[in-house]
Amino acid sequence: MMTDRIKRNFTIAAAAIIVVSCAKSEKSQPYDDEKAFFDAWIEINHPESVPTSLGAYLIEDNESQGEIHDPEEEPYVYVRYTVTDLEGNITSTNFEKVAQQVGIYDKANYYGPETWIVSEGFLPAGVEDMLNGMTVGGRRKAAIPAWLMTTKRYSKASDYLKHKDDESSYANSIYEVELVASTSDILKSEVDSLEKFTHKYLDGVDSLSYGFYYKQLKEPTDTNAFSSDTTVYINYTGRLLNGQVFDTTIQDTAKFYNVYSSSRTYEPVAVNWGEHYYDLTMGDSSSATSVITGFQLTLWEMRHYEKGVGLFYSPYGYTYKGSGRRIPSFAPLLFEIEIVDEPED
């Protein structure tokens, strides 16, 4: 006997084949076959769902008592989300418990609200459309067809069905989104977070420039500045403001925070000085690499055998891009750095 799941899949497939077969005789759009399948899936699984203006379908809409979000006034939103395919397989989430439940949790990854920019070029059109009219604190779940997963914008819904050759690798997805908060000035929000952090943990140290703070943790043995041809050695640990470590030269710290890699050597690394802070590079001079601005600014404040902590907002870090799953977009960062002896061979 067929299981319920097999029966359900058979029904969907049969319905899609029938609709597709009928559509092929008058085919006029690159996405006709995919649209026939998606429409059949909606009709079978969520016949009461409501389409958005572009053709995504709202499956659930739980409003809150918060204000309706206006992307024109506040284009930056903080969201929690889970993404699945049409079969219910989770492909992405920033809910820690969800990741743990489905076996994709990684202690090294960041879990928590992430910042999205509600604007062309940043969010898929269908995701932006499902956010339209959401209340702050509310939750929505929507099925978004593949042709609406593009970040390009067209004048009307039918235009999205005409551009498969431009972006053809996207898949149908189901987004479940909680709109945690929104803001008109993301950089000010970051600086506000840094101000709260420094007052709570670093005795309210003042910023040295907008978005950059430095706190000395151990005095130097010599206060003279390094000459431009100097090579110094450092240990460092990079964290998010929630304390989560994303990079370190210290093996025990790497193991504790689950960022340890057996292919890496954990020891002090070389920093090559220069005439200006932006000249500083890391690694052997023959293969030196650049580092983010906030890291350079922190080092520039330091002297012989000094230990300190630098904090900075995302323009000095990884901006709106973030870095993999460890550093989210628009993330203020913290680096604890100590200038130490050159490691022995």
Side-chain angles (χ1 to χ4, degrees), residues 236-254:
Y236 70 84
T237 297
R239 302 174 184 269
L240 304 178
L241 292 192
N242 66 1
Q244 185 170 346
V245 170
F246 56 82
D247 189 19
T248 184
T249 58
I250 303 169
Q251 182 171 291
D252 288 346
T253 301

Side-chain angles (χ1 to χ4, degrees), residues 181-234:
S182 61
T183 182
S184 61
D185 190 340
I186 187 63
L187 300 186
K188 182 180 182 302
S189 296
E190 288 186 50
V191 171
D192 288 345
S193 296
L194 286 166
E195 286 284 338
K196 292 177 182 177
F197 186 94
T198 56
H199 278 81
K200 185 174 182 179
Y201 297 108
L202 298 174
D203 301 322
V205 62
D206 291 330
S207 62
L208 299 183
S209 61
Y210 189 73
F212 173 71
Y213 304 76
Y214 178 76
K215 172 76 172 180
Q216 186 183 87
L217 301 179
K218 186 180 75 174
E219 293 184 358
T221 58
D222 184 344
T223 58
N224 291 318
F226 295 110
S227 60
S228 61
D229 60 349
T230 302
T231 297
V232 303
Y233 290 83
I234 64 169

